[in-house]
Amino acid sequence: MKLGQRQITFGAFCISAVVHFAILLIIGGFVLIEAPIQHETPVGTLDVAPPSNLPPEEAKPDMTQEPTPPEPDQEQQPNVTQNLQPDAPNVIISPVPNQNYTMVAGTGPILSGVSGALSNGSGSAVAAKGQKSAPLAVGNPFGRSQMLKDGLTGIFYDLKQTANGKPNKSMNDAEYGEVVTEFAKHFNESTLRKYFACPNPLYNTQIFIPFVGADQGPTAFHVEDLVQPRQWVVLYRGSFAAPQTGTYRLVGYGDDVLIVNVDGKVVLDGSINKNNDQDYGPPLTTFKSPEFIKKHKIGGGTAYLAYGYWMDLNAGEAHDIQILIGERPGFVFGTFILVQQKGVDYPLEKNGRPILPIFKLADTDDSQFQNIDNAPAIGTKGPIFALPDAKDESSK
């Protein structure tokens, strides 16, 4: 009986063990099948914020690419003269950068660069409604880059270069005079088109350039890197009208060239050939000054003013004018054009010279030209030879 119980107990134990083992297999399989695979959780998705005292992680450079140099703070502007082409069309450049036009020692103050941009096409400063327009600042005496509605347009020519910018090896002081003489016969610009023309014109309302270095001509037209400061000319063209009917004449001087043509006729040649005893070759034109008074010096120098032909002008009547100025050997340059009206009394200098106003096509502020040693004294009030429509525009 005891033996049988042991057998039953052992058998029951085995059955129980098998059952438990099967149950364990079933449960283990369920866990293996249903339990999700654990992935590493990114730091950014943690619910718990990382410690605040950790430094930010720096971006790792891409070692497969070459480093890129840092960009400059501001793009460097190219030199204007590097872009000029001898055969480029006439264009209007941006406002002329400030230039210093240094006077010859002892001749007076420094003429600063452009002191103010034009505010309208007529060349007059804008005034408040109902007020008279303020005088136009002169600034660069060779002209400014902004186009004037009614003024002079100046083109710079270098006779030492051909039209395509190649050296003109035959050019010398004698040939320079011959070219000027040939041009002055008819003022036909085709004579000058054989030579290098600056593509950037300047616009002016008067010609009054106190003595400066000859290099200031090319500098004013932004071709100082392309043109040596000798054997150059500037041709100004425009129209003018007398403010009232009367008889007028132009008075002037040019070192080395000043020739004025009105309506196809030379009315003034104030070139250096006719104004001192130095030998600069034959006269450039057939003009003969009706009055050449050697005691009417310009300042303390040896230059004398030449007086032009008298012209009968009707008020408001338009006339074409061309003005040629130029420098031959290259040292100093200066030129002036004044105007005299018959029947008007002008104050006199000690030498008896009438103190005349500047010939001008617009009301300008000429204070920078006062009290200059080697420039003629000028009258502060004079006629304005603007065309009638220019006057109407400036009064608006």
Side-chain angles (χ1 to χ4, degrees), residues 105-354:
T107 61
I110 292 176
L111 300 181
S112 60
V114 175
S115 56
L118 295 180
S119 50
N120 61 30
S122 66
S124 299
V126 173
K129 187 175 182 180
Q131 295 181 356
K132 185 179 179 180
S133 298
L136 178 66
V138 175
N140 174 0
F142 284 88
R144 60 186 65 211
S145 61
Q146 298 93 336
M147 180 179 288
L148 301 172
K149 182 179 183 297
D150 292 283
L152 302 171
T153 300
I155 303 296
F156 181 98
Y157 292 92
D158 180 21
L159 305 191
K160 302 184 302 299
Q161 301 183 61
T162 62
N164 58 3
K166 295 182 179 180
N168 183 11
K169 297 181 180 180
S170 66
M171 182 56 59
N172 52 38
D173 285 355
E175 184 174 344
Y176 174 90
E178 293 172 2
V179 172
V180 171
T181 297
E182 180 63 27
F183 170 77
K185 289 179 180 179
H186 307 287
F187 266 71
N188 188 335
E189 203 164 353
S190 62
T191 304
L192 299 179
R193 292 197 184 105
K194 302 174 185 177
Y195 306 100
F196 169 77
C198 173
N200 304 315
L202 291 182
Y203 304 92
N204 217 339
T205 59
Q206 62 191 45
I207 302 298
F208 195 93
I209 306 175
F211 288 101
V212 296
D215 61 332
Q216 295 303 309
T219 298
F221 286 83
H222 295 277
V223 289
E224 66 272 21
D225 293 339
L226 302 177
V227 176
Q228 295 179 358
R230 58 186 174 85
Q231 295 167 358
W232 52 261
V233 297
V234 181
L235 177 63
Y236 291 91
R237 307 178 68 121
S239 299
F240 73 95
Q244 62 183 30
T245 299
T247 302
Y248 302 84
R249 68 176 173 183
L250 302 179
V251 179
Y253 169 79
D255 179 359
D256 293 275
V257 175
L258 171 63
I259 305 173
V260 182
N261 182 298
V262 174
D263 293 337
K265 177 182 179 180
V266 173
V267 298
L268 174 66
D269 184 353
S271 303
I272 197 170
N273 305 71
K274 294 178 176 291
N275 288 292
N276 57 38
D277 297 327
Q278 300 181 37
D279 184 11
Y280 276 86
L284 299 176
T285 68
T286 58
F287 171 87
K288 295 186 180 300
S289 178
E291 293 183 58
F292 183 66
I293 307 173
K294 279 200 170 183
K295 66 179 182 179
H296 288 180
K297 291 184 178 181
I298 298 175
T302 58
Y304 302 89
L305 290 172
Y307 290 80
Y309 297 141
W310 288 105
M311 301 177 290
D312 295 323
L313 304 177
N314 296 322
E317 184 177 289
H319 298 273
D320 294 329
I321 185 170
Q322 298 182 70
I323 303 170
L324 185 73
I325 64 174
E327 171 62 29
R328 189 189 304 222
F331 177 57
V332 295
F333 173 79
T335 186
F336 320 94
I337 301 180
L338 310 175
V339 64
Q340 182 178 17
Q341 183 176 1
K342 185 176 288 188
V344 175
D345 292 329
Y346 297 95
L348 303 178
E349 288 186 326
K350 293 181 180 180
N351 59 12
R353 183 187 77 85

Side-chain angles (χ1 to χ4, degrees), residues 72 104 281:
V104 175

Side-chain angles (χ1 to χ4, degrees), residues 50-60:
S52 59
N53 59 350
L54 292 178
E57 184 178 0
E58 296 183 359
K60 297 180 179 180

Side-chain angles (χ1 to χ4, degrees), residues 43-55:
V43 176
T45 60
L46 293 177
D47 294 333
V48 180
S52 59
N53 59 350
L54 292 178

